[in-house]
């Protein structure tokens, strides 16, 4: 697999072309941002943890029948994935109130929902990723109804698999963000990453935050939290 020109540099990853038009290489950085890029920093070792953990989660999900973009890990920070056209929706699943949900609806964090919720944000940095509903996504031509239905079903399935998995690690899966993409043959697959950058993860016993909220909220112990999740996920 030959790594060719850089196609894109995002806030947390770079994407490179390969000699196969259907494959790209993603390279995970230690750069951290929050509040739509307003807050910037570095979390040492984050790129390695997010790469290895995402690949572990994608393989677990594949085993449970969820198709993903994962192909092959190349190194600590680099992975070959299927090149997809990203559906410009951030798909957020919540099991417990936190973050923007708690703020928007004026409730405390930590309320356990009787059933998980789903919401979409329009993936557009210039607009600040505004909340959007199915009708708006259809009106803007971001996806078809059939694609939206499939994305919702896949996202809830991911939640069921991940909730049980994290529970076995003594971790509560509070909420998380997913991205989906379309392969060259038109199939919707799970893409991007699943990591402490994109999930809220609380220790089940102490309720300690083991995710990017420690960076967002200047709580300290950021690297330690990422290392702790890595240790529980990878057993090292
Ligand atoms: P951002 O663009 O939000 O700053 P990243 O730094 O994580 O985010 O950049 C990675 C980019 O690659 C994102 O825009 C993401 O949607 C995109 N991406 C993720 N998986 C794939 C894939 N399989 N094929 C093409 N693009 C992808
Ligand atoms: N999230 C993400 N990227 C974003 C926005 C949110 O990965 O651009 C994740 C975030 O880590 C959390 C979940 O989605 O696990 C819900 O985030 P929320 O809407 O509460 O937003 P935030 O608190 O980040 O403003």
């Amino acid at each position: 697999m030959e790594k060719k020109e850089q196609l894109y540099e995002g806030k947390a990853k770079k994407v490179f072309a390969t000699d196969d038009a259907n494959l790209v290489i993603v390279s995970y950085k230690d750069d951290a941002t929050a509040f739509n890029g307003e807050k910037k920093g570095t979390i040492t070792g984050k790129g390695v943890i997010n790469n290895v953990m995402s690949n572990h989660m994608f393989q677990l999900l594949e085993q449970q029948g969820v198709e993903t973009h994962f192909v092959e890990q190349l190194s600590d920070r680099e992975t070959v994935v299927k090149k997809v056209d990203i559906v410009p929706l951030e798909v957020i699943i919540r099991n417990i109130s936190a973050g923007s949900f708690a703020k928007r609806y004026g409730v405390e964090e930590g309320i356990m929902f009787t059933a998980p919720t789903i919401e979409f944000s329009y993936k557009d940095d210039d607009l600040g990723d505004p909340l959007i509903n199915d009708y708006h996504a259809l009106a803007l031509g971001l996806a078809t109804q059939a694609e939206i239905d499939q994305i919702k079903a896949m996202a809830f399935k991911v939640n069921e698999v991940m909730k049980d998995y994290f529970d076995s690690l003594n971790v509560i899966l509070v909420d998380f963000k997913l991205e989906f993409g379309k392969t060259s043959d038109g199939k919707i697959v799970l893409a991007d990453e699943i990591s402490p950058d994109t999930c809220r993860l609380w220790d089940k016993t102490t309720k300690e935050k083991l995710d990017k909220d420690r960076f967002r909220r200047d709580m300290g112990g950021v690297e330690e939290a990422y290392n702790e999740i890595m240790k529980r996920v990878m057993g090292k």
Side-chain angles (χ1 to χ4, degrees):
M1 179 61 48
E2 199 189 331
K3 181 162 144 188
K4 298 179 90 172
E5 76 277 9
Q6 184 177 304
L7 300 174
Y8 178 78
E9 174 159 10
K11 297 184 289 293
K13 302 189 285 301
K14 295 176 183 177
V15 181
F16 296 90
T18 69
D19 42 22
D20 183 333
N22 290 318
L23 300 176
V24 291
I25 293 171
V26 292
S27 178
Y28 285 73
K29 307 189 286 184
D30 285 351
D31 299 354
T33 63
F35 314 117
N36 202 25
E38 252 172 67
K39 180 180 172 79
K40 288 191 174 70
T42 302
I43 301 174
T44 305
K46 170 172 88 79
V48 173
I49 290 171
N50 288 6
N51 182 41
V52 171
M53 174 169 165
S54 290
N55 293 341
H56 183 82
M57 300 310 300
F58 286 139
Q59 288 172 90
L60 177 77
L61 288 162
E62 290 272 358
Q63 283 168 16
Q64 299 297 321
V66 178
E67 290 200 66
T68 80
H69 72 166
F70 177 77
V71 177
E72 183 193 8
Q73 184 168 312
L74 286 183
S75 68
D76 273 4
R77 288 178 187 272
E78 293 190 324
T79 295
V80 183
V81 299
K82 288 174 198 150
K83 182 177 189 172
V84 298
D85 287 328
I86 292 286
V87 176
L89 294 172
E90 300 203 332
V91 181
I92 293 168
I93 296 272
R94 301 177 191 272
N95 296 305
I96 292 179
S97 66
S100 71
F101 182 98
K103 194 167 171 209
R104 187 180 317 121
Y105 302 120
V107 297
E108 61 192 295
E109 296 199 309
I111 302 167
M112 173 115 55
F113 302 145
T114 50
T117 68
I118 190 165
E119 72 211 40
F120 298 127
S121 291
Y122 178 26
K123 194 171 147 58
D124 185 314
D125 282 342
D126 293 339
L127 299 176
D129 298 338
L131 198 62
I132 190 176
N133 68 27
D134 298 28
Y135 293 94
H136 300 150
L138 281 172
L140 292 170
L142 307 182
T144 66
Q145 187 64 58
E147 287 166 352
I148 292 171
D149 291 344
Q150 195 189 340
I151 285 171
K152 284 183 182 168
M154 288 174 79
F156 282 121
K157 168 85 186 187
V158 169
N159 186 46
E160 291 311 311
V161 173
M162 286 191 13
K163 232 176 21 179
D164 286 351
Y165 176 68
F166 280 109
D167 187 67
S168 77
L169 306 176
N170 205 45
V171 171
I172 303 172
L173 177 62
V174 173
D175 59 28
F176 57 96
K177 182 269 297 180
L178 300 174
E179 292 183 23
F180 293 85
K182 236 193 294 187
T183 60
S184 55
D185 48 6
K187 202 189 293 174
I188 298 276
V189 299
L190 182 62
D192 205 49
E193 68 176 277
I194 298 177
S195 71
D197 273 15
T198 64
C199 302
R200 284 197 170 90
L201 304 167
W202 295 352
D203 181 89
K204 205 160 110 184
T205 310
T206 65
K207 305 291 186 298
E208 190 190 358
K209 296 185 198 313
L210 298 173
D211 57 57
K212 196 165 130 182
D213 269 346
R214 302 198 77 88
F215 169 78
R216 292 190 190 97
R217 301 176 187 189
D218 294 318
M219 298 171 74
V222 184
E223 277 90 357
E224 289 82 355
Y226 278 71
N227 283 324
E228 178 61 28
I229 284 295
M230 176 75 157
K231 195 171 91 186
R232 294 198 201 178
V233 168
M234 302 305 292
K236 63 182 179 198

